[in-house]
Amino acid sequence: MKSQRYCFTSESVTEGHPDKLADQISDAVLDSLLENDPASRVACETLLTTGLVVVAGEITTRAYVEIPEIVRRTLESVGYTRAKYGFDFQTCGVLTSIQSQSPDIAMGVNTGGAGDQGMMFGFACNETPELMPMPIMLAHKLVRQLAAVRKNGDLAYLRPDGKSQVTVEYEGYKPVRIDKVVVSAQHQPNIPQATIKEDVLKHVIEPMLPKAMLDAKTRYFVNPTGSFSVGGPQADTGLTGRKIIVDTYGGMGRHGGGCFSGKDPTKVDRSAAYMMRYIAKNIVAAGIADRCEVQIAYAIGERDPMGVAVDTFGTGKVDEQKISELIIHYFDLTPGGIIKKLQLQQPIYRQTAAYGHFGRTDLDVSWEDTDMAATLRKEAGL
């Protein structure tokens, strides 16, 4: 177990960040298809650049959805409603290039097997009420607040793009103070840097960060370059799946081989990663370990996983082999079993595509339940 002092940093981005726009569009398409055909097979990718959205991928479904309408509705809801923002939901071009799922992949999925090979991770720790790492949870809170004060008019000069970064100092595995805070907020031109910094500190940073974790040495960086008036897809091309560490544990837990957004739950990149979070969270909630990471791996077309690995980082109250045995006994780890347990063939994904897929107390998502904690604690002999 770690004992020295060190700093760990995580970042998050607003829903108006170009990569997050791409994730939200891909998941909005997925949701629309699942709403009409829960058995839809979807691998939807989105690219955004100045004035243009491209949606491509492989989709097999009995449903029909108007993809350009979904794209424009998503952009409007985020706030890209005027051309002066550098991107406008009404006037941007939308191109689509969709084909059906490969029959070779379908052959494996149709029999209940995994749609691809790969490894997935789940992580949980007891340093926050959400059983998530503190740096990523604080980073998410900052960008959610940044979007909130833009939308409610408190800081009406803000625009949709933005980022945050939080550096937390640890002693061993215990967070002891916040060392540095970075917030970059897109804004309309000609707003003085001093005004932006004062407003962001007052309306975004101070309300969201725990005062007990701040001290005289905590440093704040607001729009460090001095200006952030050009943002969104005009400034930075957006792509689905390019913010996977924002989506998961902020770098503190490992990430597997694929992203989540735009993929239906037969894709184990998504569904198995959700299941691993569910398992890791229940292990920590049960008091079996203070920190837990669970890895699983699959081969394409195979129902049963190639293996399960557990790491409690020296915090486990029982042997890791015992924890692995409990996982295999109490959880159905086949792709079909995961989909059934977590009720994943539903239009629930757009809401997860910004501000993280895990630790979401604002969403009613099954993989954040701790309904197995009591059973695991009892069977572990605690």
Side-chain angles (χ1 to χ4, degrees):
M1 183 187 298
K2 277 190 174 184
S3 59
Q4 75 273 23
R5 291 178 79 98
Y6 60 97
C7 288
F8 194 93
T9 303
S10 295
E11 72 160 352
S12 187
V13 299
T14 65
E15 62 207 63
H17 186 280
D19 294 328
K20 276 287 136 215
L21 279 176
D23 288 340
Q24 290 169 89
I25 290 169
S26 292
D27 273 340
V29 172
L30 170 63
D31 279 355
S32 294
L33 289 164
L34 291 177
E35 189 173 10
N36 292 280
D37 177 11
S40 295
R41 304 277 173 77
V42 183
C44 179
E45 314 291 345
T46 303
L47 177 148
L48 301 96
T49 188
T50 305
L52 178 65
V53 181
V54 179
V55 180
E58 297 77 48
I59 297 175
T60 298
T61 183
R62 296 189 298 271
Y64 173 79
V65 298
E66 190 65 40
I67 291 178
E69 179 185 341
I70 294 169
V71 170
R72 297 186 194 282
R73 194 165 62 236
T74 303
L75 293 170
E76 181 184 19
S77 70
V78 170
Y80 283 100
T81 55
R82 304 180 69 183
K84 65 191 297 185
Y85 295 170
F87 204 82
D88 175 28
F89 80 101
Q90 291 178 307
T91 61
C92 69
V94 180
L95 300 178
T96 62
S97 179
I98 304 296
Q99 57 188 337
S100 61
Q101 183 182 62
S102 160
D104 295 338
I105 295 175
M107 185 167 55
V109 178
N110 291 342
T111 58
D116 201 354
Q117 71 174 46
M119 71 289 186
M120 303 84 206
F121 291 91
F123 182 82
C125 59
N126 64 1
E127 61 192 62
T128 64
E130 301 89 355
L131 302 186
M132 286 282 288
M134 182 175 284
I136 188 65
M137 292 309 298
L138 295 180
H140 285 325
K141 288 180 179 180
L142 290 175
V143 287
R144 287 176 70 96
Q145 181 70 358
L146 197 61
V149 297
R150 168 177 63 88
K151 291 179 176 181
N152 67 21
D154 285 349
L155 299 182
Y157 60 79
L158 293 182
R159 290 181 174 173
D161 200 355
K163 305 177 80 170
S164 69
Q165 190 168 281
V166 179
T167 301
V168 175
E169 186 174 346
Y170 282 78
E171 187 170 344
Y173 288 133
K174 180 183 178 182
V176 293
R177 59 180 294 274
I178 296 170
D179 189 59
K180 298 180 184 70
V181 181
V182 182
V183 175
S184 295
Q186 186 191 9
H187 56 87
Q188 71 184 52
N190 304 318
I191 304 296
Q193 165 71 358
T195 299
I196 296 170
K197 184 169 184 177
E198 180 181 349
D199 285 348
V200 169
L201 281 168
K202 178 181 178 181
H203 294 278
V204 178
I205 295 174
E206 291 177 3
M208 290 295 106
L209 298 185
K211 290 181 174 55
M213 296 289 290
L214 304 172
D215 58 32
K217 294 183 178 180
T218 303
R219 299 179 64 192
Y220 303 95
F221 303 83
V222 177
N223 287 10
T225 67
S227 179
F228 185 10
S229 61
V230 180
Q234 182 184 22
D236 183 16
T237 299
L239 288 169
T240 300
R242 207 159 58 175
K243 283 289 177 284
I244 58 175
I245 303 304
V246 172
D247 288 339
T248 53
Y249 309 103
M252 193 167 286
R254 284 174 281 195
H255 193 289
C259 75
F260 302 154
S261 290
K263 296 177 180 177
D264 76 83
T266 67
K267 278 71 172 175
V268 285
D269 278 339
R270 179 170 224 158
S271 54
Y274 288 174
M275 190 64 163
M276 294 306 101
R277 162 63 179 171
Y278 173 64
I279 292 171
K281 186 175 183 182
N282 274 271
I283 289 168
V284 173
I288 295 173
D290 295 339
R291 302 170 76 82
C292 182
E293 186 176 74
V294 187
Q295 187 211 43
I296 197 167
Y298 292 89
I300 188 168
E302 293 293 319
R303 294 176 71 252
D304 295 318
M306 298 293 99
V308 176
V310 176
D311 188 350
T312 60
F313 307 93
T315 70
K317 309 302 189 294
V318 300
D319 186 74
E320 289 171 351
Q321 178 62 38
K322 172 67 173 177
I323 299 174
S324 296
E325 292 169 358
L326 289 174
I327 292 171
I328 293 168
H329 180 75
Y330 281 100
F331 298 93
D332 185 345
L333 300 178
T334 65
I338 292 172
I339 291 170
K340 182 179 179 180
K341 171 63 180 176
L342 299 182
Q343 304 172 48
L344 295 180
Q345 286 184 311
Q346 302 181 69
I348 58 174
Y349 297 106
R350 159 74 198 280
Q351 62 184 349
T352 68
Y355 311 120
H357 294 246
F358 306 132
R360 297 296 297 271
T361 57
D362 59 313
L363 304 179
D364 183 21
V365 289
S366 55
W367 54 91
E368 291 298 315
D369 292 342
T370 54
D371 54 317
M372 287 297 293
T375 298
L376 292 173
R377 181 175 179 83
K378 179 182 177 182
E379 293 302 311
L382 299 180

